[in-house]
Amino acid sequence: MLEENLTGKALWLTGLPGSGKTSIARALKIEHPDIVLLRMDEMRRIVTPDPTYSDDEREVLYRSLVYTAMVLTQKGHDVLIDATGHKRVWRDLAREVIKNFYEIYLRCPIDICMKRERVRIDEYAPKDIYRKAERGAPVPGVVVPYEEPIRPELIIDTDKISIEDSVREIQRLIV
């Protein structure tokens, strides 16, 4: 693969829906305004405006997300990926093709994720995902497995640590 001399960092915030990915990404973006924020929920609205959440659709979306992050980092941009990425293979692909890759696992018990998801206000995130899971919708961690990272660069227990402290932990990692 051809690589330029400029190489940015890519940080992938992964975790169950409601684990705090978007909240931490927003706070990190305030601290680092030049970082490029790639949000799966935003990408999905453009690429699949009527999403089915099928395995094939998710495969295309996550590979597209990884490709976008790779190109941006090769151009010297730092990238923050806000995406569940419930299959390890997608995060492993990012690790393989992005030189400075950091996997950050936002670990949170599913019952707390469910409570957070019920009250969150986000213009891009699908609504009532855990309720939809009760009817069989393919929600990671409920209907489809969430494959936890094996060796992430950082694990943050978001049920025990504040958003501000989470951002500080991430900043210590990438300095």
Side-chain angles (χ1 to χ4, degrees):
M1 196 170 280
L2 212 60
E3 206 169 335
E4 298 181 16
N5 290 333
L6 303 170
T7 304
K9 296 177 183 79
L11 292 75
W12 189 324
L13 300 180
T14 182
L16 292 172
S19 62
K21 296 179 299 295
T22 299
S23 298
I24 292 171
R26 285 182 181 143
L28 199 57
K29 175 78 172 154
I30 290 168
E31 295 293 318
H32 300 272
D34 291 337
I35 201 165
V36 178
L37 179 55
L38 297 178
R39 296 188 57 211
M40 176 54 80
D41 292 328
E42 288 179 11
M43 180 179 267
R44 184 175 278 119
R45 283 182 77 176
I46 301 297
V47 179
T48 58
D50 296 314
T52 63
Y53 299 94
S54 70
D55 288 342
D56 289 342
E57 181 182 278
R58 283 180 162 155
E59 187 70 28
V60 168
L61 280 166
Y62 276 102
R63 287 179 163 278
S64 298
L65 188 68
V66 169
Y67 175 76
T68 303
M70 179 191 74
V71 169
L72 288 166
T73 59
Q74 287 175 347
K75 298 293 182 189
H77 298 284
D78 290 331
V79 175
L80 180 58
I81 301 169
D82 168 4
T84 299
H86 67 281
K87 287 189 178 180
R88 200 174 294 123
V89 67
W90 299 320
R91 300 183 315 262
D92 289 347
L93 174 63
R95 185 178 301 284
E96 180 183 320
V97 300
I98 299 171
K99 185 175 181 180
N100 294 320
F101 178 76
Y102 300 84
E103 185 176 21
I104 301 167
Y105 177 30
L106 304 182
R107 187 167 52 193
C108 187
I110 195 160
D111 60 318
I112 292 174
C113 290
M114 289 176 167
K115 287 178 188 172
R116 289 177 178 173
E117 191 271 335
R118 279 195 296 265
V119 298
R120 78 174 167 192
I121 300 168
D122 186 317
E123 61 188 294
Y124 297 109
K127 308 293 181 228
D128 299 320
I129 19 185
Y130 287 111
R131 283 195 186 120
K132 290 175 184 172
E134 293 170 5
R135 297 187 303 269
V139 176
V142 181
V143 178
V144 296
Y146 174 82
E147 298 172 356
E148 292 186 356
I150 294 174
R151 287 180 293 283
E153 280 67 25
L154 181 61
I155 298 173
I156 299 174
D157 290 306
T158 62
D159 61 320
K160 297 175 183 157
I161 185 171
S162 70
I163 292 170
E164 296 77 19
D165 287 341
S166 298
V167 168
R168 279 192 281 281
E169 289 290 318
I170 294 167
Q171 289 173 319
R172 277 195 285 274
L173 171 70
I174 61 174
V175 173

